[in-house]
Amino acid sequence: MRPLARDLKDAAAVAFFAFLIFGPFIGLPLSNNQAGNLTLGTRPQALALAVGAVFLARLGLLAWARWHPAPLAPRFTIKLQGAGRFIAPVLLVFAVLMPLLPGLPNAYIDLGVLIMTYVMLGWGLNIVVGLAGLLDLGYVAFYAVGAYSFALISLNFGLGFWECLPIAGILAAFWGVCLGFPVLRLRGDYLAIVTLAFGEIIRLVITNWVSLTGGPNGLLGMPQPSLFGLRFSMAGGPGTFAGFFHITPAPWQRTAYLYYIILALALLTNWVTLRLRKQPLGRAWEALREDEIACRSLGINVRNTKLTAFAIGAFFGGFAGCFFAARQSFISPDSFTFMESATVLAIVVLGGAGSQLGVVLAACVMIGVPQMLQSLQIYRMLIFGLALVIIMIVRPRGFISTRRPTVTLGKRGGVIGADLVSQGRG
Amino acid sequence: MNVLTVTNLTMRFGGLTAVNNVSFTAARGHITAIIGPNGAGKTTLFNCITGFYKPSAGSIAVSPEPGKAVQLEKLPGHAIARKGRVARTFQNIRLFGGMTALENLMVAQHNRLQAATGFGVLGVLGIGGYRAAERRGIELARHWLEQTGLVERADDPAGALPYGAQRRLEIARAMCTEPALLCLDEPAAGLNPRESAGLNALLRKIREGGCSLLLIEHDMGVVMNLSDHIIVLDHGKKIADGTPAEIRADPVVIGAYLGEGEEDDPDAPVAEHAA
């Protein structure tokens, strides 16, 4: 009896807050009358329905939680972790073969390119947030630096995509170090605020430095990536991909080529991260996330170690930016808003900070699902938001929150549960 | 030559003087204990020696090997472990809880291993001597896991180990930096008598291995039994300095522990030993 009373009280409290929130939105609709004036009406039934639904849903949730006392997460975790060994190679094979599937519409390959770009950004940010535990809310700055580096160098000096790619990465890493030097003595929330500001500063500089960047109008006409000098052109003819191989030019060829570029860049990011993780630098990052003071007592140069994380993360962000600019042939400051940083960070957190496979799954959810739900129109973001909330309730530390040891003494390579792994405080 | 020479060390926090003009030496190959009532400035002194605080005045010289001296107060915090070869443990254990015991010991060898990877670049490409360096690192880690009786738990996360094992692992981690001076902040805190005896044996073994030890300890059983030399602090000042027998008989020390209406202080076992 007592638990029931407590549940009822809890549900009533939740319903009260629902009433406060829904009251103005549902209970007091505004409408246009014939004369074109706004009038305020009331909808008591609709409001009662919404609040009642919240009350019952909360009661049901509590009853369900009582019925399943064990939390869901550990069971899922073990299963996902075991499956991880198989999921990753299967996903890789699928990713490689995907553009070659017969009859696949070009739009799907294009979506693949988009998702893969975010996978790469997620993997880049995962170094900073997941491994080193530094909360970076301005990752888009390095994406922008990479994109504008490519655009400006190719437009002013006539260099192609492949020559610009390393330059864009190095410039982004340089800015990562420039940002890192002053701010890495900050921790946690303060670091997050400063990185957020840095992202905005870069965007505002790009917007206002009209003579160099074209300001809000952006930059146009960057060259497309070429395959060993072969261009992708719908016209065909000598010097183009289709002309060289004597095939009919088709849009999917170019999209598929872009797809393979970003796949290769993303896999490079992943490979470097996985290698580094098993080496002193990566271990030092993870140790920093766990306990910075202990690191210092062991003779680890905390500032330099954080800087390398920032620089390497930024380097891959710059690569992704360069690719983005080449794919679009057009960039403007609108592509580098805080929303992008937030999306990439959401991918890392949703996937489970530090997990490479988690980033892939989360990128598919975060980028793929809204695209798939296009037909639901205005309900699209509602359902998407609800899905994210449910995922975070069921898996509060992301899809894959466990950690694998980087070195073992015995054969047995255990898995470390999320409750032991620290999330880092910057 | 002494492994550690502290001269006129003073540490002020605003108006509070936590360590006031303290000088002492720690002999090479000895176990030196710093004792004193709560709030005497022991941990502050420790934090100055291990570079977590910059002293307000005075100097700290460490001699990692005979004939060589390093002024610690001039080094940045992270260089003290590398150049001064001073390692430490913490009063409230600071392990990397989400990493395995072995990984904790590998992180401790960061500087040596990182140099072997060509600062990351060669290591990623898989060239250079990193593999051999890592194998040696694992062997060193295995050695200290064996010494601390943790070899069975090598692949378990440090955060999941029992309390006593975490204390030992922290000592093993400090030893993996190959220090000349190991500073232990209350290593016996929270240990049961059996674990405490095991700790004594471990610390003796470390001393026999050529490493000097400096420890803060409340457990007088450990201190009197283990130390070659004891320094007593009270209210930031050194009040006594000598062998365990001398300290036990020193009326000033007994006064510091018993005086000023602190008869019910649980940290007063010195009197029992003295009696």
Side-chain angles (χ1 to χ4, degrees), chain A residues 206-290:
Chain A
I206 290 171
T207 311
N208 290 297
W209 195 349
V210 178
S211 60
L212 181 74
T213 63
N217 297 328
L219 291 168
L220 188 65
M222 283 79 80
Q224 294 279 332
S226 60
L227 178 67
F228 298 110
L230 296 176
R231 286 177 296 109
F232 287 83
S233 159
M234 284 307 292
T240 66
F241 177 78
F244 187 82
F245 289 102
H246 303 291
I247 51 176
T248 327
W252 72 267
Q253 292 160 357
R254 178 181 158 259
T255 321
Y257 179 55
L258 287 174
Y259 177 84
Y260 282 119
I261 291 176
I262 189 66
L263 180 65
L265 289 177
L267 289 177
L268 175 74
T269 313
N270 185 33
W271 180 75
V272 169
T273 310
L274 289 180
R275 295 281 299 200
L276 278 177
R277 207 183 147 249
K278 301 203 168 194
Q279 292 189 2
L281 186 58
R283 276 191 213 120
W285 287 339
E286 292 203 83
L288 268 186
R289 184 190 63 201
E290 298 281 333

Side-chain angles (χ1 to χ4, degrees), chain A residues 235-403:
Chain A
T240 66
F241 177 78
F244 187 82
F245 289 102
H246 303 291
I247 51 176
T248 327
W252 72 267
Q253 292 160 357
R254 178 181 158 259
T255 321
Y257 179 55
L258 287 174
Y259 177 84
Y260 282 119
I261 291 176
I262 189 66
L263 180 65
L265 289 177
L267 289 177
L268 175 74
T269 313
N270 185 33
W271 180 75
V272 169
T273 310
L274 289 180
R275 295 281 299 200
L276 278 177
R277 207 183 147 249
K278 301 203 168 194
Q279 292 189 2
L281 186 58
R283 276 191 213 120
W285 287 339
E286 292 203 83
L288 268 186
R289 184 190 63 201
E290 298 281 333
D291 194 326
E292 194 175 318
I293 288 175
C295 278
R296 222 179 94 181
S297 82
L298 297 172
I300 294 174
N301 187 332
V302 170
R303 191 196 56 207
N304 286 3
T305 309
K306 283 184 178 179
L307 272 182
T308 54
F310 244 70
I312 294 174
F315 182 73
F316 291 118
F319 269 20
C322 180
F323 171 81
F324 174 77
R327 171 188 170 225
Q328 303 271 351
S329 283
F330 167 72
I331 50 170
S332 77
D334 292 341
S335 308
F336 307 106
T337 56
F338 172 67
M339 200 52 214
E340 294 298 311
S341 288
T343 307
V344 178
L345 187 65
I347 286 172
V348 173
V349 173
L350 190 65
S355 163
Q356 298 292 91
L357 180 60
V359 165
V360 177
L361 300 179
C364 293
V365 170
M366 287 289 296
I367 309 301
V369 169
Q371 300 279 333
M372 298 291 177
L373 294 176
Q374 291 281 11
S375 57
L376 295 173
Q377 295 168 6
I378 57 166
Y379 299 107
R380 182 172 70 116
M381 292 320 273
L382 193 68
I383 291 172
F384 181 54
L386 191 67
L388 290 188
V389 168
I390 289 173
I391 290 171
M392 288 326 275
I393 288 174
V394 177
R395 302 203 51 79
R397 291 283 295 262
F399 286 131
I400 300 177
S401 50
T402 50
R403 177 180 175 274

